[in-house]
Amino acid sequence: MGRVNDRNDRNDTVSRRAVFGVGLGAAAAVAASGGMAAATRLPDVPETGRARQARRATPGLWLRWWGNNSWEIKTRAADGTVKTVLIDPWLTRFHTGTYSKQGADPKTRVTVDTALLDRMIDSGELRADHILVTHGHYDHLPDVPYLAERTGATVVGTETHVNLMLAMGAPKDQLSIAVGGEYLSFDGYAIRVLRSLHSASAPRGKVAFAGTRPAVPPSPPEYIRDLVEGGTLAYEVITESGASVLNFGGSNYIEAELAGLRPDVVLLPAGGGMVPDYVGRLLRALGHPPYVVPTHWDDFDEPLFEPAKDWGGLQPLRDAVTSASPDSRFQVIDHLETLRT
């Protein structure tokens, strides 16, 4: 896989949402100061309604959106240290044409903007204790091997995801294979791994770039068609205070896997048009969560350091949530913004 440093000019135009000032700010500075930087607070759920009667979100989660399904989740351990979990961190955002009329070219080359990632890591703005991979597609996986190498984070994914990352140079001893069903405890947080499904598209309802890479690592992925889905996982991250966030990397799910889960925040992808009652079944299964935050709704051919541009799925998702779970708050955040519960 080639790595290119072709975005040096991007950081010259980040005045609106400067990387080193948005959200939590540099993790190193946060840890040193012993306090969390200011962030937008999720508003209270109304006093009446099913979601409010069931529970309210408890303090302890800071969520920052890096576009697409890239999320940074921060919490504080009992000793005061800040812990960071990343989900599908893909900041390179090389051009693919995915949301254009023509769609993505399968022979688009896979690249990693190491200069951008280095600047963010070296500044302390980007760090990770865990990186969670929902599936192996080109808009989720490419930056993970390099981020793992630079941050020392433990990476969780399926056997296919792990083999793809090994082929891309990820440190072998940092990769952890999951199949769904794992419930793992760490210092300051726990991670629940759920079996899930990728969204389907086209007239026959197929998964784009389907397939697996079991047994041994493949050749290094050269084109986006080489980064196959490889099984899809969902993740719930739970803090010591009991606050939790549930993320889906594709607009589909296994309803039975959700039984008994009551997350405070659901990161819900736009789309799901081929899934019957996509939003309603999900929110009912989760007991009408207090907060629904949309994810995977921006056109990722557009710059990360500018306001997100909707590919067309945001309003239909909002309407579906309002109809299916009116007491849940639909909370939209923009690129690099941070919310806390």
Side-chain angles (χ1 to χ4, degrees):
M1 177 195 67
R3 290 172 177 164
V4 297
N5 304 326
D6 57 359
R7 296 200 171 186
N8 293 342
D9 59 333
R10 171 170 291 181
N11 279 9
D12 293 333
T13 58
V14 299
S15 58
R16 183 177 182 277
R17 299 183 184 280
V19 175
F20 307 125
V22 177
L24 294 177
V30 170
S33 67
M36 287 290 187
T40 302
R41 179 75 182 260
L42 281 170
D44 289 340
V45 175
E47 288 294 325
T48 60
R50 291 165 294 185
R52 177 62 181 87
Q53 292 169 353
R55 67 211 180 277
R56 290 184 64 183
T58 52
L61 281 174
W62 283 256
L63 309 173
R64 178 159 57 167
W65 187 43
W66 295 93
N68 202 45
N69 191 51
S70 303
W71 288 91
E72 175 190 74
I73 302 171
K74 285 185 180 290
T75 188
R76 191 182 295 282
D79 64 0
T81 58
V82 176
K83 302 295 182 180
T84 305
V85 177
L86 303 181
I87 300 178
D88 291 347
W90 183 54
L91 283 66
T92 294
R93 293 167 72 99
F94 52 79
H95 189 275
T96 67
T98 296
Y99 297 112
S100 68
K101 184 177 180 180
Q102 296 75 25
D105 179 357
K107 295 193 71 174
T108 300
R109 289 191 176 274
V110 176
T111 59
V112 176
D113 188 350
T114 58
L116 170 65
L117 299 180
D118 284 341
R119 284 194 293 272
M120 300 183 74
I121 293 168
D122 292 342
S123 72
E125 177 69 12
L126 182 62
R127 66 177 301 274
D129 295 289
H130 264 90
I131 300 175
L132 310 180
V133 177
T134 65
H135 62 281
H137 281 163
Y138 59 89
D139 54 330
H140 296 255
L141 188 72
D143 286 355
V144 176
Y146 189 75
L147 287 171
E149 178 186 339
R150 285 298 323 273
T151 64
T154 299
V155 183
V156 180
T158 68
E159 182 181 9
T160 290
H161 308 156
V162 166
N163 280 329
L164 287 170
M165 289 187 286
L166 285 173
M168 298 164 76
K172 182 177 181 179
D173 62 354
Q174 292 172 222
L175 305 180
S176 180
I177 292 178
V179 298
E182 294 87 353
Y183 191 16
L184 308 170
S185 180
F186 302 96
D187 184 19
Y189 58 97
I191 297 170
R192 191 192 306 272
V193 187
L194 307 170
R195 294 180 304 129
S196 193
L197 297 172
H198 191 275
S199 50
S201 59
R204 296 185 184 274
K206 293 184 177 181
V207 173
F209 302 114
T212 60
R213 297 289 185 269
V216 295
S219 300
E222 184 176 1
Y223 305 112
I224 63 173
R225 68 185 182 189
D226 300 325
L227 288 171
V228 297
E229 178 255 350
T232 295
L233 300 172
Y235 296 95
E236 184 182 28
V237 178
I238 307 116
T239 72
E240 289 182 343
S241 70
S244 66
V245 57
L246 176 62
N247 173 267
F248 297 92
S251 48
N252 205 348
Y253 49 87
I254 300 174
E255 191 171 351
E257 287 283 291
L258 310 178
L261 297 187
R262 294 295 181 266
D264 297 301
V265 180
V266 176
L267 304 177
L268 183 60
M274 302 195 79
V275 181
D277 195 15
Y278 164 60
V279 172
R281 287 193 301 115
L282 175 67
L283 298 185
R284 288 192 296 271
L286 297 174
H288 301 280
Y291 308 109
V292 177
V293 178
T295 184
H296 217 322
W297 61 269
D298 62 323
D299 183 343
F300 46 72
D301 282 337
E302 301 295 332
L304 175 62
F305 302 108
E306 295 180 8
K309 292 189 177 181
D310 178 14
W311 57 256
L314 185 59
Q315 189 59 48
L317 184 65
R318 182 197 301 271
D319 293 343
V321 171
T322 300
S323 175
S325 189
D327 295 321
S328 298
R329 185 178 291 273
F330 189 80
Q331 186 74 39
V332 180
I333 66 172
D334 209 341
H335 286 164
L336 304 176
E337 288 183 345
T338 297
L339 293 177
R340 67 184 179 95
T341 61

